[in-house]
Amino acid sequence: MNILKKIIMPLLGLLLWELLAKWLNNPVIIPPVESVINILMNPQTSVLGTGNLIENTLISIKRVISGFIIAGIIGIPLGIFMGYFSTIMDLFDTFIELLRPIPPLAWVPLALAWFGIGETSMLFIIFIGAFFPILLNTIAGVKSVPKILIESIETLGAKEKDILLKIILPASSPSILTGLRIGAGIAWMCVVAAEMLPGSSSGLGYLIMYSYSLGRMDIVVASMIIIGMIGLILDRGLKYLENRYFKWKSLTK
Amino acid sequence: MSAILEIKNVVKKFISEKKEVLAVDNVNFYVEHNEFLSIVGPSGCGKSTLLRMIAGLETPTSGEILMEGKEIKGPGAERGMVFQQYTLLPWRTVLDNVAIGLEIKGIPKKERYEISRKFIKMIGLEGFEDSYPYELSGGMQQRVAIGRTLANDPKIVLMDEPFGALDAQTRTILQNELLKIWNKDKKTVLFVTHSVDEAIYLSDRVIIMTARPGRIKDVIPIDLDRPRERNSMEFIEYKKKIVDKLKDEVLKTYNMNNYSI
């Protein structure tokens, strides 16, 4: 019964889509369901001479992972230090609050000017997208560590290093993981946008733009579906880790 | 016997934007080696503040606190503290919580687990080594907190109303266990409580504090053999004596709070 409730809307959507496609009979506006499914079912077939779906998907994933990892390597330690040392917070806070509301895509011209057309610019855009949620959630996690936990291990002889490694880091890791999850979602959105930039010649974003210019909406829709599915898997996967490793967080009063 | 801890002319003022509060006013006392000393006083009298200063978590505004003749500067492992609030690390098992002090000292895993298991046995939680704090009752969590402090082998154990949040029955059981451990381990304990009964039951001496600002009103040696019988004449005598001395102070606190409303 439950599963039925969950799939009924997508099924109705598919049906509506198919009816509209049949009625309009114009694959440039709405491609028929079966041609999209056909593309999705044969991901190894080269599309439009730009490599196949799997290759393009892997290229996008690789870019996201690279930009995301850089964002984590910088964002997590910076967030921990900002959350823990008020001087570092005061130094960086205004700067970060100023940069944070700028959408990652607004950085595109600067990225192109600094790094030229190519991989580095794309990584930069992804980095910007993932960085702020990771940083802000890390700071929030550190700030929410109960003071009494720190005091209690200080009376066991803990020094600054022990407090950071044995209290602050583990206590804030659920929040850090939440930041990583949100950051990964935004990074994934940014890669598609970055791949639509001039000079790009691979990845799902590129495939969407290129198929569009050739009027192949079936490939556009197939790529969109893959993007949606990977985004979902990413989110659920990290959510699973949250529940698996940080059960204590929800169970501690 | 000699003093392990000396508190000399200690004053603590809390200064906020609006006003200055004198929490502890010129307190002097000492704790002897292997002594079980309690401090009782009305709530808000500064007894917890006093204990936190001894732990090194607060700095006295003036006066000095000497541990074995040396002035204390900040917290240290030789002054272990058990808090009223639950302070176990929720992501660590009982075993890893008890072992954390030894872990900080850099004792190898095998050895620190060995020591910790001994203390887990002592606090009666054998079989719960791999449980997480959220799986334990409040009383069990406090036992683990006590075990964690003792496993770290401090020279003095500071206890800030450790049984305050527990039900009466659990409280009595833990009091007896604490006495057993104290007797066996020959620890020095400084125990803060607002329960006169608890103070008499446990201590060699009881310090009575005044309402805010906290001063020492009296020090009563409890000259009774252990285990003490709560219904004995002598016990009740002591209780009456201390309660009488405290009554004025509690009233003062009550009035103070009323006026401030």
Side-chain angles (χ1 to χ4, degrees):
Chain A
M1 208 51 210
N2 249 333
I3 189 101
L4 193 68
K5 266 191 248 169
K6 289 206 171 189
I7 60 166
I8 192 142
M9 288 312 282
L11 282 177
L12 277 176
L14 269 178
L15 188 70
L16 191 67
W17 171 11
E18 183 62 14
L19 286 176
L20 275 171
K22 281 259 149 44
W23 178 60
L24 276 171
N25 196 20
N26 184 350
V28 179
I29 295 175
I30 300 185
V33 176
E34 56 275 18
S35 68
V36 173
I37 289 177
N38 190 33
I39 293 166
L40 287 174
M41 289 311 227
N42 299 293
Q44 285 112 321
T45 319
S46 173
V47 277
L48 307 172
T50 62
N52 63 35
L53 267 183
I54 292 180
E55 283 164 6
N56 280 301
T57 306
L58 287 178
I59 287 170
S60 293
I61 290 177
K62 209 184 108 208
R63 284 176 183 147
V64 167
I65 289 176
S66 316
F68 177 71
I69 285 175
I70 300 170
I73 287 174
I74 300 175
I76 295 172
L78 182 61
I80 287 176
F81 286 121
M82 281 179 71
Y84 189 65
F85 299 105
S86 56
T87 322
I88 301 183
M89 185 69 168
D90 293 342
L91 281 175
F92 284 88
D93 190 36
T94 330
F95 193 47
I96 278 163
E97 284 303 312
L98 213 65
L99 294 180
R100 190 174 64 90
I102 302 172
L105 288 183
W107 288 90
V108 165
L110 273 185
L112 292 176
W114 292 344
F115 308 114
I117 290 169
E119 288 298 312
T120 320
S121 288
M122 284 192 246
L123 287 189
F124 180 74
I125 302 298
I126 295 162
F127 164 80
I128 294 283
F131 178 70
F132 290 103
I134 294 174
L135 179 75
L136 295 178
N137 277 282
T138 305
I139 294 174
V142 173
K143 286 206 170 285
S144 69
V145 178
K147 199 170 161 238
I148 190 108
L149 291 189
I150 297 171
E151 290 182 342
S152 71
I153 83 152
E154 277 186 309
T155 68
L156 293 169
K159 299 281 169 264
E160 204 98 75
K161 184 194 81 182
D162 305 306
I163 294 170
L164 279 171
L165 291 178
K166 296 189 198 299
I167 301 286
I168 302 290
L169 189 62
S172 52
S173 17
S175 186
I176 294 175
L177 191 60
T178 304
L180 290 175
R181 183 163 60 82
I182 299 169
I186 296 182
W188 185 238
M189 290 184 203
C190 288
V191 73
V192 175
E195 285 166 352
M196 291 180 176
L197 295 181
S200 164
S201 60
S202 58
L204 286 170
Y206 167 74
L207 194 59
I208 288 179
M209 285 318 272
Y210 186 59
S211 317
Y212 164 74
S213 66
L214 296 176
R216 288 293 303 274
M217 288 306 172
D218 47 351
I219 301 174
V220 171
V221 174
S223 309
M224 286 170 69
I225 290 174
I226 292 176
I227 291 167
M229 285 193 319
I230 289 174
L232 183 72
I233 292 167
L234 208 61
D235 192 73
R236 288 294 148 90
L238 288 167
K239 198 138 212 176
Y240 170 79
L241 290 182
E242 271 180 58
N243 294 334
R244 170 100 169 60
Y245 291 103
F246 301 125
K247 214 168 66 177
W248 60 264
K249 185 81 188 174
S250 53
L251 291 171
T252 304
K253 291 153 272 173
Chain B
M1 284 217 254
S2 60
I4 180 171
L5 189 76
E6 291 164 276
I7 284 82
K8 290 182 172 170
N9 309 317
V10 164
V11 175
K12 179 69 182 176
K13 283 178 194 160
F14 286 106
I15 299 155
S16 67
E17 281 164 37
K18 279 189 208 150
K19 55 180 180 179
E20 197 181 283
V21 176
L22 184 58
V24 174
D25 187 16
N26 199 28
V27 164
N28 287 281
F29 70 94
Y30 61 89
V31 186
E32 286 175 351
H33 275 286
N34 305 336
E35 186 180 24
F36 200 123
L37 179 63
S38 286
I39 303 175
V40 292
S43 49
C45 76
K47 55 192 191 294
S48 289
T49 305
L50 193 56
L51 205 65
R52 288 174 59 82
M53 285 192 281
I54 295 166
L57 299 171
E58 306 271 358
T59 327
T61 309
S62 65
E64 54 181 3
I65 300 172
L66 304 176
M67 175 81 191
E68 294 181 320
K70 269 186 280 180
E71 186 160 6
I72 62 150
K73 285 188 173 59
E78 78 283 359
R79 284 161 285 128
M81 180 139 163
V82 181
F83 297 78
Q84 180 179 3
Q85 302 95 318
Y86 301 134
T87 53
L88 299 181
L89 308 181
W91 55 88
R92 281 176 175 245
T93 60
V94 166
L95 183 61
D96 278 320
N97 262 294
V98 173
I100 190 169
L102 303 166
E103 191 181 316
I104 290 166
K105 279 184 183 157
I107 290 165
K109 199 168 193 163
K110 198 170 157 247
E111 200 183 332
R112 68 173 185 254
Y113 278 174
E114 214 168 281
I115 299 170
S116 302
R117 281 181 205 283
K118 202 182 85 194
F119 280 92
I120 289 171
K121 197 173 168 188
M122 193 189 267
I123 54 171
L125 284 179
E126 237 178 335
F128 288 94
E129 288 85 354
D130 298 325
S131 302
Y132 284 88
Y134 57 78
E135 298 170 305
L136 306 179
S137 68
M140 289 158 95
Q141 290 192 41
Q142 275 315 62
R143 284 177 203 220
V144 178
I146 293 170
R148 173 176 74 175
T149 302
L150 292 175
N152 205 32
D153 196 24
K155 287 179 179 161
I156 182 167
V157 183
L158 310 169
M159 303 185 106
D160 187 10
E161 305 201 33
F163 309 141
L166 306 177
D167 61 89
Q169 220 152 3
T170 312
R171 205 174 169 141
T172 315
I173 294 169
L174 289 192
Q175 285 166 356
N176 286 327
E177 278 178 12
L178 179 61
L179 277 182
K180 230 189 282 168
I181 293 168
W182 169 73
N183 213 6
K184 203 168 116 198
D185 249 35
K186 277 295 155 218
K187 286 279 171 206
T188 309
V189 179
L190 181 55
F191 193 99
V192 161
T193 177
H194 60 253
S195 159
V196 173
D197 179 272
E198 187 168 69
I200 301 171
Y201 189 72
L202 296 173
S203 323
D204 295 319
R205 287 188 298 151
V206 177
I207 291 178
I208 301 169
M209 278 183 80
T210 64
R212 199 169 66 211
R215 298 189 189 95
I216 289 181
K217 182 162 186 163
D218 212 340
V219 183
I220 315 277
I222 308 293
D223 201 8
L224 294 176
D225 289 337
R226 293 187 177 92
R228 291 173 179 165
E229 187 48 63
R230 282 190 159 91
N231 297 321
S232 71
M233 278 301 290
E234 295 96 327
F235 196 98
I236 293 165
E237 274 309 306
Y238 273 118
K239 203 163 167 177
K240 224 175 131 233
K241 190 168 158 192
I242 296 174
V243 168
D244 271 348
K245 283 179 190 289
L246 266 176
K247 208 187 279 165
D248 300 342
E249 303 307 325
V250 175
L251 270 175
K252 263 189 241 163
T253 310
Y254 179 76
N255 289 336
M256 214 151 56
N257 290 340
N258 267 5
Y259 288 137
S260 64
I261 294 166

